[in-house]
Amino acid sequence: MSFCHGLRLLYSQLPLFSRELNRPWCRYVSSSLALSSEKRASDFNSFVPRTNTCGELRSAHVGQEVTLCGWIQYQRQGLFLVLRDFQGLTQIIIPQDEAHSHVKKVLYDAPVESVVRVTGTVTSRPPGQKNPRMPTGDIEVKVKTAEVLNSCKKLPFEIKDFIKKSESLRMQYRYLDLRSFQMQHNLRLRSQMIMKMREYLCYLHGFVDVETPTLFKRTPGVCMLLVIHPGLLQSYRQLTCSCGAFNFNCRYFQVARCYRDEGSKPDRQPEFTQIDIEMSFVDQAGIQKLIEGLLQYSWPNERGPITIPFPSMSYAEALAEYGTDKPDTRFGMKIIDVSDVFRNVEIGFVQNAVNKPQGTVKAICIPQGARHLQNKDFEALKESAKSQFNQEVLHLILKPDESLKSPLRKFLSEEQQSELIKALKVQADDVVLLAAGEHEKVCLVLGNMRLESANLLELRGLVLRDPTAFHFLWVVDFPLFLHKEENPAELESAHHPFTAPHPSDTSLLYSEPAKVRSQHYDLVLNGSEIGGGSIRIHNAEQQRFVLETVLKEDPELLSHLLEALKSGAPPHGGIALGLDRLICLVAGAPSIRDVIAFPKSFKGRDLMSNAPDYITPEELEPYHIQVAWPAAEAEANKN
Amino acid sequence: MSFCHGLRLLYSQLPLFSRELNRPWCRYVSSSLALSSEKRASDFNSFVPRTNTCGELRSAHVGQEVTLCGWIQYQRQGLFLVLRDFQGLTQIIIPQDEAHSHVKKVLYDAPVESVVRVTGTVTSRPPGQKNPRMPTGDIEVKVKTAEVLNSCKKLPFEIKDFIKKSESLRMQYRYLDLRSFQMQHNLRLRSQMIMKMREYLCYLHGFVDVETPTLFKRTPGVCMLLVIHPGLLQSYRQLTCSCGAFNFNCRYFQVARCYRDEGSKPDRQPEFTQIDIEMSFVDQAGIQKLIEGLLQYSWPNERGPITIPFPSMSYAEALAEYGTDKPDTRFGMKIIDVSDVFRNVEIGFVQNAVNKPQGTVKAICIPQGARHLQNKDFEALKESAKSQFNQEVLHLILKPDESLKSPLRKFLSEEQQSELIKALKVQADDVVLLAAGEHEKVCLVLGNMRLESANLLELRGLVLRDPTAFHFLWVVDFPLFLHKEENPAELESAHHPFTAPHPSDTSLLYSEPAKVRSQHYDLVLNGSEIGGGSIRIHNAEQQRFVLETVLKEDPELLSHLLEALKSGAPPHGGIALGLDRLICLVAGAPSIRDVIAFPKSFKGRDLMSNAPDYITPEELEPYHIQVAWPAAEAEANKN
């Protein structure tokens, strides 16, 4: 056999491929495999007519006869090709001698992305042609037989990670997009993390995986009627809360599909997956410890270790310091109350604010803001506060000469100016954003300004939020009830009506329910809420009081729950983690759609199959259902 | 402390409890725990304020101070009680001295099934009072402190396995029923088997767990629109078949919730769970080997080993010998063709039958039927054949003197009689059921008679089907297409339109499609179909031919599948196992409702929450949906 070594372009010499192989996910593919094979080596070749995957062969295999199956990633002039499967890439040398002219023709004629099976001998690459950046870069396979299992038409895009594709194109051809190493890696990472969670729960802590129904009755607070697209006939109901009925077992979990009735946002999907955990005899600290252990156990090696226990913060503190219930603690710029500085300052809007109940003046300090941000940035920030919250925000700059630059300056005494600088620890070139008004509103505005300023600074090239850092945070001590927006005299549940009151506040429940804190807890990672749960009420009388007296609900609708509580329900609590969002953060993916095999688009549509689709009246008849279109939509559908 | 040893009734002396502890599931509880802890010991006490479960304490714990949480199973005169949790039962001795009068009062006043936490010291039971049939029977716990965590009202039934409850009562109070050891055991077995399957797939064979959407477009053959209860607004759609879109990954599986639009039968539920497996580059033998390995690996120790490979039978053979596509091979009584015996017998209906195309005379032999069955049984069997299949069945008895007793006898020569006896291997007191007609129909009737006779014999106390035996069977070589019942000139898919033709029959596809066998395979266990799958078509042109030319479907509806096949789809195949039914058989439960935490009743209703419920027109308005009741139901709903 004669192989034209001199002529062929070697894989290592193709700059595009080399670039691809240098990307960080190449490392993940091998390291995450190590994760799955901690117990036993996975056999990827069982039950199929191949001897190896395309990611497996090394110098140790030289001389072996192998059979590989894969997709043609690249083919060059009938001399060699690169075969790809879900495990990697292998260079294949096409025989040039007459005796193998059939093999050469088969492989030469096969379009890129065709599926082939080849048999041949593993050989060492000639000196100087090894590719150290490719796991199989020491070897190549000299082919003896080849068979095209399926030919491939011209594709709308190439299956190479360095090819940029619009998201809508990726969604329309999801079955192609899923062949990319990045999607393969994300889905494998997802599978492995969830499997490790199951191990932790089942094998280490005696949990039972129990499947609960998705078809359930509509009950207040625990159920939602979900219709994916108004007028299209998908109505889904689900009992989302693990109510008293699960008391039968001390330790229950489920990886459950859930549905929500809203469009798809970058971090939301109409279908999503969560792990539900429910335990008897547990308190808040117990659930937190369990979850910390769960995340530590399932955390992929490639992301480095995480430290437990996670820090904890009350909801009041999170609101006051970060202006949100999901603080991103990877960076500072906390909200600081400067009401005391401004109490005697004669500015109308400040006086108006501080003299009202809950009135405050607060500020955040953007370090080195004057160097990186321009006037148009400050105007954009102020405009955003105005349009989103109807709130005025002022900005002050500390000049290099340590004097304040701001229209406010003339209203502040020298002493007040230095008090302000001290309170905010302002340094030269720092920018202060200041707002006056009711406590909660000012916090929310400044929390928002904090994130928007961080985005602006990062657009300018600064790194405030380390993308390799994972900051977990428990947010606790939420209020149990909130005043209804439309009628502040009435209360509604802050989370759901089964949440137990904080043990220190139980007596307040009967006197001042609005002041009661709950035993609800949220888990936040890098500013995203990835989970939430609570200790539930197990006392039937307390549950009835909450439903009937505080929330004015008809308790008959929940009679089966009240009956269950009276029938020896143990104290219990639980938590649910949103797996799509968690895994998106772990994978460092830009959207949860990158960790879901078949996601829906922004509008809840599946661009591949074009679902949801219309159903004809004839198809609906057996179900006694009719669709009554609003006039405008009916008109549109006719066309 | 003084304990009234002389007075108290010991646990071992309570005949009811003893009976309960002798039941076979008591063995399972401990053996299945061993299964889950193969790798590491599960800690059932992590994260909760107890030191042990109620099933854990042994002589080795004597002297230890322990804290237990559980339900009061039994309390006797303030002297002792039995505490139960999901792991077992522990006997608790109540202190009788003045210093502990508070503890005594708390435990004396607590109703049965109240939830309590007790702390005390493990002591050895006095000589003669140990209970060898109870895992914790060597010890008891002398209580020092006790706390009622939740009191229990009078329950509709006691939580004791020996108490007989109607199924509707069990369903209405499912949260109580789930506290029974039997249900606890079944659900734990289910969780463990599925976890072992995941291990086998993920860790041993490199599969990835990929979640697929449940909200999908309606396409022919792959989708079903499901409405749980006509007129009630749950419509569910699902792509049940793993089509070409999954080709992205070589090895995919999913434990998926599926929905079906029909009432609940003993072995059917509107929601059910299956494990879907899909592989690239695999053939039928590969999938079969994979599944045999999967079942062997996940099989619970307590059920003894299973032997692989499983036997295999063609569909034609299954129909001819067992009259069904899911033969129960635990017993004989196979169908035997006796057409040759009857070809020259001058009986009108026999001649009518054998002279038609596919005409046959067939029979089954019920061994010792004359001893165990009576005339009314034979009449019932014949009546059943008549009403279900409109088919006459005759019965013949071989008397102890080796002569036939039957009205047929006079039409049969001596030679024909002995030929018949020889063909069917009839012995004295055996009964023969005989039918004449078209091959398939006669097979179906006699297959049905075979099962009905077996039921009758077992009602009389015979054991034909060993309840501890597990007979797996592959049924293969199904026809690819069937003639439509309403129009026999047209063909429809026997399974679904993506099933690949049998490799030996590929050319027949274009000439005589009705004769083509498929690469579909069913897995049968003890006469129940527990799984099915196929090698799928991966060639776009073949798929288009099947859809367009054979099935007359509009291929545009499946354009995304055809596009995917043309884009480098590898050869692939898969299988789905119905987990509810499989686990029901493994657990030896009478109904799949006994292995599902919250099943629906026969009519698809949830008797606990009374779901599904009616939705008011106001609730439906945002979704532009109306319900139009048929007149009769509308009238009924008014009342």
Side-chain angles (χ1 to χ4, degrees), chain A residues 245 248, chain B residues 157 159 167-180 183 186-187 591-600 606-609:
Chain A
F248 69 91
Chain B
F157 54 82
I159 314 296
E167 177 151 14
S168 72
L169 195 67
R170 285 178 55 203
M171 288 296 158
Q172 191 184 347
Y173 296 96
R174 188 61 161 183
Y175 51 89
L176 299 179
D177 188 40
L178 287 173
R179 286 188 202 157
S180 72
M183 281 306 302
N186 288 354
L187 293 178
S591 151
I592 60 166
R593 290 189 295 280
D594 292 312
V595 297
I596 298 174
F598 299 98
K600 301 291 187 286
D606 176 341
L607 293 175
M608 192 176 75
S609 70

Side-chain angles (χ1 to χ4, degrees), chain B residues 425-473:
Chain B
K425 301 200 180 83
V426 191
Q427 300 188 342
D429 282 337
D430 287 359
V431 175
V432 171
L433 297 182
L434 189 132
E438 186 268 327
H439 171 74
E440 186 177 330
K441 186 179 176 189
V442 168
C443 289
L444 292 175
V445 172
L446 289 177
N448 192 276
M449 295 295 103
R450 176 176 175 266
L451 293 177
E452 287 193 16
S453 323
N455 291 344
L456 287 170
L457 290 173
E458 292 196 337
L459 275 177
R460 304 290 186 275
L462 273 75
V463 179
L464 274 81
R465 295 166 287 201
D466 177 358
T468 67
F470 294 95
H471 282 232
F472 286 96
L473 176 73

Side-chain angles (χ1 to χ4, degrees), chain B residues 189-206:
Chain B
L189 179 79
R190 178 183 183 120
S191 171
Q192 284 164 342
M193 267 193 87
I194 297 177
M195 186 65 187
K196 294 287 276 182
M197 290 183 182
R198 293 179 181 280
E199 266 189 41
Y200 175 85
L201 293 168
C202 287
Y203 291 149
L204 271 63
H205 297 290

Side-chain angles (χ1 to χ4, degrees), chain B residues 531-552:
Chain B
S534 58
I535 302 303
R536 329 293 187 192
I537 296 173
H538 66 273
N539 179 290
E541 280 320 301
Q542 192 177 65
Q543 183 68 76
R544 181 180 288 276
F545 180 83
V546 166
L547 288 170
E548 215 166 31
T549 311
V550 182
L551 299 174
K552 321 287 184 207

Side-chain angles (χ1 to χ4, degrees), chain A residues 207-282:
Chain A
F207 277 75
V208 181
D209 181 358
V210 176
E211 300 162 62
T212 56
T214 55
L215 311 179
F216 214 85
K217 189 182 173 178
R218 187 170 168 84
T219 45
V222 284
C223 167
M224 56 182 175
L225 175 74
L226 182 128
V227 177
I228 288 310
H229 203 262
L232 295 172
L233 259 178
Q234 287 111 343
S235 91
Y236 288 79
R237 306 162 127 203
Q238 199 195 22
L239 183 83
T240 50
C241 170
S242 312
C243 75
F246 297 151
N247 296 334
F248 69 91
N249 203 299
C250 279
R251 290 160 180 243
Y252 136 85
F253 82 101
Q254 178 177 209
V255 176
R257 188 72 57 91
C258 306
Y259 305 95
R260 73 156 70 78
D261 182 7
E262 49 180 272
S264 184
K265 296 179 201 168
D267 60 348
R268 301 218 162 194
Q269 282 275 311
E271 291 187 63
F272 61 102
T273 302
Q274 61 185 32
I275 185 163
D276 289 330
I277 295 172
E278 196 78 17
M279 285 177 83
S280 301
F281 305 116
V282 75

Side-chain angles (χ1 to χ4, degrees), chain B residues 500-574:
Chain B
H502 195 287
S504 322
D505 295 356
T506 310
S507 60
L508 276 179
L509 182 62
Y510 303 93
S511 52
E512 292 178 277
K515 290 196 176 162
V516 175
R517 290 165 303 161
S518 72
Q519 294 193 63
H520 179 96
Y521 28 82
D522 270 352
L523 182 59
V524 174
L525 171 57
N526 292 352
S528 286
E529 183 199 323
I530 57 161
S534 58
I535 302 303
R536 329 293 187 192
I537 296 173
H538 66 273
N539 179 290
E541 280 320 301
Q542 192 177 65
Q543 183 68 76
R544 181 180 288 276
F545 180 83
V546 166
L547 288 170
E548 215 166 31
T549 311
V550 182
L551 299 174
K552 321 287 184 207
E553 291 274 9
D554 176 2
E556 288 319 304
L557 290 174
L558 279 158
S559 57
H560 69 281
L561 170 67
L562 292 174
E563 283 298 293
L565 293 184
K566 278 188 242 171
S567 307
H572 61 290

Side-chain angles (χ1 to χ4, degrees), chain A residues 42 46 71 150 179 199 203 205 211 214 217-218 233 235 251 257 259 273 538 563 567-568 609 619, chain B residues 42 46 150 153 179 199 203 205 211-212 214 217-218 233 235 251 259 273 538 567-569 609 619:
Chain A
S42 269
S46 44
W71 287 258
N150 211 355
R179 288 190 201 152
E199 267 189 44
Y203 291 150
H205 296 289
E211 300 162 62
T214 55
K217 189 182 173 178
R218 187 170 168 84
L233 259 178
S235 91
R251 290 160 180 243
R257 188 72 57 91
Y259 305 95
T273 302
H538 66 272
E563 283 297 293
S567 305
S609 70
E619 289 176 298
Chain B
S42 268
S46 44
N150 211 357
K153 66 171 182 121
R179 286 188 202 157
E199 266 189 41
Y203 291 149
H205 297 290
E211 301 163 59
T212 56
T214 56
K217 189 182 174 180
R218 186 169 170 83
L233 257 180
S235 91
R251 293 162 177 242
Y259 305 95
T273 302
H538 66 273
S567 307
S609 70
E619 288 175 297

